[in-house]
Amino acid sequence: QGDYVLDSRQLYEILLRPIQAEIAVAEHICVIPYGPLHFLPFHALHDGEQYLIEQKAVSYAPSATILLESCQGGSLNIDRVLALGEPACDLKPLPFAREEVERVQKILGPERCRTEFGADALRTVVLDAGGVGNGQAGDDVWHFAMHAMFVQAAPQLSYLQLAKAGGDDGRLFAYEVAALPRAASLTVMS
């Protein structure tokens, strides 16, 4: 942990300290990363006292170029949304994760957005949502507000940490999602 915090503080000093005055007055920070900064968890940068996520809500957005390329495929209907947050696991709860998911449901309405929290935020919920023959219409959007691990050397082993249940460690791996017969048109992770 010591090396990580030291590295995190050094990166904070280089990337965020120059704009500390703007950060201090902001309610929310939106990061639009470029190049290798896509792999940097800005929310985990440490100012010497706290991680950035402990001070402010942090989100990420694509660059204008990536957004334009993404929009070339047509429009997205948002009729059904599955939003999961604050799963019951051994990791420290993320600040504002529950509020984020509740806000998504408030914006869209409970008839369009179903939510799962705590012990109900299971990987089987996502696997069932991506399955065929469960008698339900597919979701247009999956929204995840939880811990995730990106494995650069083997991206298929990257995972979202959902709730633990019985012998299931709650890890939803990228290769499992890729193998689903049906997935949402848009996935949001924060």
Side-chain angles (χ1 to χ4, degrees), residues 81-188:
V81 175
L82 171 61
L84 298 101
E86 204 173 77
C89 65
D90 296 334
L91 300 172
K92 182 179 176 182
L94 293 175
F96 309 112
R98 178 177 283 271
E99 292 86 351
E100 177 181 321
V101 170
E102 289 171 343
R103 180 154 244 182
V104 170
Q105 186 178 54
K106 184 178 178 183
I107 291 168
L108 296 172
E111 65 283 349
R112 290 173 51 198
C113 180
R114 62 190 168 114
T115 59
E116 301 291 349
F117 299 101
D120 295 325
L122 296 163
R123 74 186 264 285
T124 54
V125 170
V126 181
L127 295 174
D128 288 347
V132 172
N134 61 8
Q136 296 180 349
D139 298 304
D140 302 306
V141 177
W142 288 344
H143 186 105
F144 300 102
M146 62 192 58
H147 290 280
M149 175 62 72
F150 176 67
V151 181
Q152 187 171 4
Q156 71 278 12
L157 297 178
S158 299
Y159 63 90
L160 295 170
Q161 182 62 61
L162 286 114
K164 291 184 173 188
D168 185 354
D169 65 5
R171 293 179 179 180
L172 177 64
F173 290 96
Y175 70 83
E176 293 176 293
V177 175
L180 291 173
R182 178 181 67 219
S185 299
L186 174 66
T187 299
V188 178

Side-chain angles (χ1 to χ4, degrees), residues 6-134:
L6 180 61
D7 291 343
S8 177
R9 287 183 68 180
Q10 289 174 339
L11 287 168
Y12 188 98
E13 292 300 321
I14 294 167
L15 298 170
L16 300 180
R17 186 69 67 199
I19 57 169
Q20 183 62 41
E22 289 83 1
I23 291 172
V25 297
E27 290 181 29
H28 176 259
I29 298 169
C30 182
V31 178
I32 304 172
Y34 178 77
L37 294 179
H38 281 97
F39 301 107
L40 180 65
F42 280 81
H43 56 276
L45 296 184
H46 200 279
D47 69 357
E49 294 181 25
Q50 291 181 299
Y51 292 101
L52 184 60
I53 192 67
E54 294 175 314
Q55 302 170 35
K56 306 287 180 177
V58 179
S59 63
Y60 298 83
S63 68
T65 303
I66 291 175
L67 181 60
L68 180 62
E69 289 176 12
S70 299
C71 291
Q72 300 294 332
S75 63
L76 171 67
N77 292 326
I78 302 179
D79 295 324
R80 288 181 49 95
V81 175
L82 171 61
L84 298 101
E86 204 173 77
C89 65
D90 296 334
L91 300 172
K92 182 179 176 182
L94 293 175
F96 309 112
R98 178 177 283 271
E99 292 86 351
E100 177 181 321
V101 170
E102 289 171 343
R103 180 154 244 182
V104 170
Q105 186 178 54
K106 184 178 178 183
I107 291 168
L108 296 172
E111 65 283 349
R112 290 173 51 198
C113 180
R114 62 190 168 114
T115 59
E116 301 291 349
F117 299 101
D120 295 325
L122 296 163
R123 74 186 264 285
T124 54
V125 170
V126 181
L127 295 174
D128 288 347
V132 172
N134 61 8

